[in-house]
Coordinates of all heavy atoms in Angstrom, one line a residue:
Chain A
I158 N 16.0 -9.1 -22.4 CA 14.9 -9.4 -23.3 C 13.9 -10.4 -22.7 O 14.3 -11.3 -21.9 CB 15.4 -10.1 -24.6 CG1 16.5 -9.3 -25.3 CG2 14.2 -10.3 -25.6 CD1 16.9 -9.8 -26.6
Q159 N 12.6 -10.2 -23.0 CA 11.6 -11.2 -22.6 C 10.8 -11.6 -23.8 O 10.5 -10.7 -24.6 CB 10.7 -10.7 -21.5 CG 11.5 -10.5 -20.2 CD 10.6 -10.0 -19.0 OE1 10.0 -9.0 -19.1 NE2 10.5 -10.8 -18.0
A160 N 10.5 -12.9 -23.9 CA 9.6 -13.3 -25.0 C 8.4 -14.0 -24.4 O 8.5 -14.7 -23.4 CB 10.3 -14.3 -26.0
V161 N 7.2 -13.8 -25.0 CA 6.0 -14.3 -24.5 C 5.5 -15.6 -25.2 O 5.7 -15.6 -26.5 CB 4.9 -13.2 -24.7 CG1 3.5 -13.7 -24.2 CG2 5.3 -12.0 -23.8
V162 N 5.0 -16.5 -24.5 CA 4.5 -17.7 -25.0 C 3.1 -18.0 -24.4 O 2.9 -17.8 -23.2 CB 5.4 -18.9 -24.7 CG1 4.8 -20.2 -24.9 CG2 6.7 -18.8 -25.5
P163 N 2.1 -18.3 -25.2 CA 0.8 -18.5 -24.7 C 0.8 -19.9 -23.9 O 1.5 -20.8 -24.3 CB -0.1 -18.6 -25.9 CG 0.7 -19.0 -27.0 CD 2.1 -18.4 -26.7
V164 N 0.0 -20.0 -22.9 CA -0.3 -21.3 -22.3 C -1.7 -21.7 -22.8 O -2.6 -20.9 -22.9 CB -0.4 -21.1 -20.7 CG1 -0.8 -22.5 -20.1 CG2 0.9 -20.6 -20.1
V165 N -1.7 -22.9 -23.4 CA -3.0 -23.3 -24.0 C -3.6 -24.5 -23.3 O -3.0 -25.1 -22.4 CB -2.7 -23.7 -25.5 CG1 -2.1 -22.6 -26.3 CG2 -1.8 -25.0 -25.6
E166 N -4.9 -24.6 -23.5 CA -5.7 -25.7 -22.8 C -5.0 -27.0 -23.1 O -4.6 -27.4 -24.2 CB -7.1 -25.7 -23.4 CG -8.0 -24.6 -23.0 CD -8.2 -24.6 -21.4 OE1 -8.5 -25.6 -20.9 OE2 -8.1 -23.5 -20.9
G167 N -4.8 -27.8 -22.0 CA -4.3 -29.1 -22.1 C -2.7 -29.1 -22.1 O -2.1 -30.2 -22.2
D168 N -2.1 -28.0 -21.9 CA -0.7 -27.9 -21.8 C -0.1 -28.8 -20.7 O -0.7 -28.8 -19.6 CB -0.2 -26.5 -21.6 CG 0.5 -25.9 -22.8 OD1 0.9 -26.7 -23.7 OD2 0.5 -24.6 -22.9
T169 N 1.0 -29.4 -20.9 CA 1.7 -30.1 -19.9 C 3.1 -29.4 -19.7 O 3.4 -28.5 -20.5 CB 2.0 -31.6 -20.3 OG1 2.8 -31.6 -21.5 CG2 0.7 -32.4 -20.6
E170 N 3.8 -29.8 -18.7 CA 5.1 -29.2 -18.5 C 5.9 -29.4 -19.7 O 6.7 -28.4 -20.2 CB 5.8 -29.8 -17.3 CG 7.1 -29.2 -16.9 CD 7.8 -29.7 -15.7 OE1 7.4 -30.8 -15.2 OE2 8.7 -29.1 -15.2
D171 N 5.8 -30.5 -20.4 CA 6.6 -30.8 -21.5 C 6.2 -30.0 -22.7 O 7.0 -29.4 -23.4 CB 6.4 -32.3 -21.9 CG 7.4 -32.8 -22.9 OD1 8.6 -32.5 -22.7 OD2 7.0 -33.3 -23.9
S172 N 4.9 -29.9 -23.0 CA 4.5 -29.1 -24.2 C 4.8 -27.6 -24.0 O 5.2 -27.0 -25.0 CB 3.0 -29.4 -24.4 OG 2.2 -28.9 -23.4
L173 N 4.5 -27.1 -22.8 CA 4.8 -25.7 -22.6 C 6.3 -25.5 -22.7 O 6.8 -24.5 -23.2 CB 4.3 -25.3 -21.2 CG 4.6 -23.8 -20.8 CD1 4.0 -22.8 -21.8 CD2 4.0 -23.5 -19.4
S174 N 7.1 -26.4 -22.1 CA 8.6 -26.2 -22.2 C 9.1 -26.2 -23.6 O 10.0 -25.4 -23.9 CB 9.3 -27.4 -21.4 OG 9.0 -27.4 -20.1
R175 N 8.5 -27.0 -24.4 CA 9.0 -27.0 -25.8 C 8.7 -25.7 -26.5 O 9.5 -25.2 -27.3 CB 8.3 -28.2 -26.6 CG 9.2 -29.5 -26.5 CD 8.5 -30.6 -27.3 NE 7.4 -31.2 -26.5 CZ 6.3 -31.6 -27.0 NH1 6.0 -31.5 -28.3 NH2 5.4 -32.2 -26.2
R176 N 7.5 -25.2 -26.2 CA 7.1 -23.9 -26.9 C 8.0 -22.8 -26.4 O 8.4 -21.9 -27.1 CB 5.6 -23.6 -26.5 CG 4.9 -22.7 -27.6 CD 3.4 -22.5 -27.3 NE 2.7 -23.8 -27.2 CZ 2.1 -24.2 -26.1 NH1 2.0 -23.5 -25.0 NH2 1.5 -25.4 -26.1
I177 N 8.3 -22.8 -25.1 CA 9.2 -21.8 -24.5 C 10.6 -22.0 -25.1 O 11.3 -21.0 -25.4 CB 9.2 -21.9 -23.0 CG1 7.8 -21.4 -22.4 CG2 10.3 -21.0 -22.4 CD1 7.7 -21.6 -20.9
H178 N 11.1 -23.2 -25.2 CA 12.4 -23.4 -25.8 C 12.7 -22.7 -27.1 O 13.7 -22.2 -27.4 CB 12.7 -24.9 -25.9 CG 13.3 -25.5 -24.7 ND1 12.9 -26.7 -24.2 CD2 14.4 -25.1 -23.9 CE1 13.7 -27.0 -23.1 NE2 14.5 -26.0 -22.9

Side-chain angles (χ1 to χ4, degrees):
Chain A
I158 306 184
Q159 295 184 295
V161 174
V162 165
V164 177
V165 301
E166 288 296 316
D168 252 339
T169 61
E170 184 175 17
D171 189 53
S172 64
L173 178 58
S174 297
R175 269 181 281 140
R176 206 176 302 121
I177 292 174
H178 269 135

